[in-house]
Amino acid sequence: MWAAAPLLLLLPLLLLLARPWRRGAARLEPAGRAVLITGCDSGFGHLLALRLHRLGFTVFAGCLCPGGDGARRLQREAGGAGRLRVLRLDVTRACDVRAAKELVLSHLPERGFWGLVNNAGISTFGETGWLPMETYEKFADVNLLGSIRTTLAFLPLLRKYKGRIVFMSSIIAYFTLGNGIYSMTKAAIEKFCDALRLEMKKFGVQVCIIQPGNYARSTKIQPPLSAEEIWSELSEEEKAVYNKEYVQERANFFNSILSEGSTNGNEVVDAMVDALTSPAPKARYMVAKLKEKALVLVCALFPTAVMDSVLSYALSK
């Protein structure tokens, strides 16, 4: 590790030289540009749709339940029809993605399609053996394949207009504390983005990843779970290994993490807006508390054994 110290010291300079800074370059003019956002029923997607609408973008807000409370509130807060359109978009359904593309194409403003924000996602808690295969398949379909499905559909438009693609990841892509299934999908989407970002450079399309810390209270992506709920879903084989007391301890631990989440989702939306409007957007935007960033740093720089010890200690508490 110490042998690599000189390289670590040089890294900020290398990044500074490599980054295409454009001092004085004007930010993007939103008027006449369209953006599609997935997962706008609530959370970051809901907030972003309203923010982009206020900035002057034409917004296509994909909602899982277009007739639900979240979608109706979004339309009401945006002031009715006009530059914000709510549409049904279940990212696991190819027919929904095709219909979304057709709607966008038929209502493109004069400057065309500027951005795709892959925000839709789900989360849950549970140790690896506690969750059935069907749950793994569902999470992969929503959090990973859903983003890929939507991206592939809109790539021709994004290449044509040299637009932006923004993906919602998480610092949980680097480590896990009881929600490995969520970490798995976020780590996978990061690698997809890394490949896509390099491939799209030749077309002038920029790809950005948003990495929030704990914003559970802002997004409501993960409701608290009771030990009874978890226990009732366990297979008989798992019940033979774990007792109710252990399940209760793990539930208490995870729920305590959820209760510490930030309620200021606009911090994350600020990063998403910058990714869409900056003349030189970052490849990654990490929006997290200092201790969360420190944990990511430990994960990136230290041997796996060190990270395992840190996380095991946290779990033991």
Side-chain angles (χ1 to χ4, degrees), residues 58-307:
T58 296
V59 179
F60 294 90
C63 292
L64 184 62
C65 302
D69 291 341
R72 289 201 302 269
R73 189 172 72 253
L74 183 59
Q75 290 176 310
R76 188 168 60 250
E77 290 168 336
R83 286 183 294 98
L84 189 146
R85 293 176 178 272
V86 171
L87 61 145
R88 173 180 170 79
L89 182 50
D90 180 343
V91 296
T92 69
R93 292 165 53 91
C95 58
D96 277 17
V97 175
R98 285 195 299 270
K101 185 177 180 180
E102 290 171 7
L103 180 68
V104 169
L105 284 169
S106 63
H107 293 88
L108 269 183
E110 59 272 20
R111 289 180 174 172
F113 189 69
W114 175 250
L116 170 64
V117 181
N118 287 300
N119 168 74
I122 54 177
S123 178
T124 193
F125 161 75
E127 297 198 0
T128 303
W130 295 2
L131 305 171
M133 189 61 202
E134 292 77 17
T135 302
Y136 282 95
E137 290 170 347
K138 178 181 179 181
F139 270 71
D141 205 10
V142 176
N143 292 358
L144 174 61
L145 299 179
S147 292
I148 296 172
R149 187 176 289 113
T150 309
T151 298
L152 293 179
F154 283 89
L155 267 185
L157 275 177
L158 290 159
R159 287 193 293 251
K160 178 180 179 179
Y161 293 103
K162 301 184 187 303
R164 306 273 172 93
I165 316 175
V166 180
F167 290 83
M168 182 58 66
S169 181
S170 170
I171 63 167
I172 290 296
Y174 295 96
F175 58 87
T176 180
L177 278 173
N179 54 348
I181 189 171
Y182 186 67
S183 300
M184 171 194 75
T185 59
K186 293 306 181 183
I189 204 66
E190 293 250 352
K191 293 301 105 181
F192 174 76
C193 291
D194 286 343
L196 185 67
R197 184 177 62 254
L198 293 173
E199 294 164 2
M200 289 298 107
K201 283 183 180 295
K202 57 183 172 288
F203 300 107
V205 176
Q206 301 199 59
V207 178
C208 304
I209 303 171
I210 311 297
Q211 299 172 316
N214 184 359
Y215 282 84
R217 290 200 295 163
S218 175
T219 64
K220 303 294 192 298
I221 190 174
Q222 172 64 68
L225 287 173
S226 72
E228 283 300 324
E229 286 179 272
I230 299 169
W231 184 258
S232 66
E233 295 295 323
L234 293 186
S235 67
E236 292 305 316
E237 291 88 348
E238 294 301 305
K239 287 180 178 178
V241 176
Y242 300 96
N243 55 42
K244 283 189 177 182
E245 289 75 15
Y246 179 83
V247 173
Q248 183 68 66
E249 287 175 3
R250 294 276 69 80
N252 291 344
F253 170 78
F254 193 67
N255 289 337
S256 70
I257 292 177
L258 296 178
S259 69
E260 295 172 1
S262 173
T263 59
N264 186 9
N266 281 304
E267 295 171 343
V268 178
V269 173
D270 290 343
M272 298 166 85
V273 171
D274 191 79
L276 288 166
T277 62
S278 171
K282 300 177 184 178
R284 282 176 168 81
Y285 291 80
M286 187 175 292
V287 189
K289 297 175 184 175
L290 182 59
K291 66 178 182 180
E292 293 171 329
K293 291 180 178 180
L295 201 54
V296 171
L297 189 65
V298 171
C299 184
L301 297 181
F302 288 82
T304 301
V306 174
M307 192 61 183

Side-chain angles (χ1 to χ4, degrees), residues 22-79:
R22 287 185 280 174
R23 297 184 186 279
R27 295 184 77 82
L28 180 83
E29 172 53 53
R33 299 181 194 269
V35 176
L36 172 70
I37 312 165
T38 67
C40 292
D41 302 78
S42 61
F44 299 138
H46 190 101
L47 293 173
L48 180 64
L50 291 173
R51 179 84 69 87
L52 294 183
H53 178 257
R54 286 197 295 269
L55 288 173
F57 283 99
T58 296
V59 179
F60 294 90
C63 292
L64 184 62
C65 302
D69 291 341
R72 289 201 302 269
R73 189 172 72 253
L74 183 59
Q75 290 176 310
R76 188 168 60 250
E77 290 168 336

